[in-house]
Amino acid sequence: QVQLVESGGGLVQAGGSLRLSCDVSGRTDSLFAVAWFRQGPRTREFVADMGWSGGRIDYLDSVNGRFTISRDNTQNTVYLQMDSLKPEDTAVYYCAADTYRISRGVDNYAYWGQGTQVTVSS
């Protein structure tokens, strides 16, 4: 089994920055991909993903150039660096992982964290 724990959410003004962390534990050697999603007012949408061992990185168009996904291999920690934040970025952010594929689809990820709230004020 794999466990994910997010942290780093909070309140920030528009234009500010925030870094989210996802601590990954358990059978991490079985992982193929890790991703960030966010739950907004109506939908849960894809934000960013990457291969667990590196390689492919993909971003939602609206965050491309502002957000950066990365992994600290020595700590099994995944980060989402968020810069130039906008009020529309306000959401609960979730870290997710899967053992078989890398995808933008919510239903394709088997393991999820508890979520961390990000609020961007105007």
Side-chain angles (χ1 to χ4, degrees):
Q1 298 297 315
V2 176
Q3 295 179 337
L4 309 174
V5 180
E6 302 99 332
S7 62
L11 175 64
V12 64
Q13 293 186 2
S17 297
L18 207 60
R19 187 177 73 165
L20 306 183
S21 298
C22 175
D23 294 325
V24 185
S25 61
R27 299 180 62 181
T28 59
D29 289 344
S30 68
L31 294 178
F32 185 78
V34 65
W36 288 94
F37 293 83
R38 63 188 183 187
Q39 179 69 52
R42 290 171 289 181
T43 60
R44 182 172 296 189
E45 65 179 351
F46 165 84
V47 176
D49 62 22
M50 66 177 294
W52 178 248
S53 298
R56 175 181 171 181
I57 296 178
D58 192 25
Y59 294 99
L60 177 69
D61 286 346
S62 63
V63 308
N64 191 31
R66 299 189 297 120
F67 291 11
T68 303
I69 185 172
S70 63
R71 178 194 164 195
D72 184 340
N73 292 340
T74 64
Q75 300 182 36
N76 285 336
T77 301
V78 181
Y79 299 100
L80 184 67
Q81 177 66 44
M82 304 184 294
D83 299 319
S84 301
L85 283 162
K86 304 175 181 179
E88 48 263 46
D89 295 319
T90 296
V92 178
Y93 283 72
Y94 295 89
C95 183
D98 193 75
T99 60
Y100 294 105
R101 67 189 69 83
I102 185 167
S103 174
R104 291 187 171 207
V106 171
D107 294 340
N108 291 326
Y109 287 85
Y111 303 103
W112 292 82
Q114 83 288 352
T116 185
Q117 176 70 49
V118 172
T119 302
V120 184
S121 62
S122 60

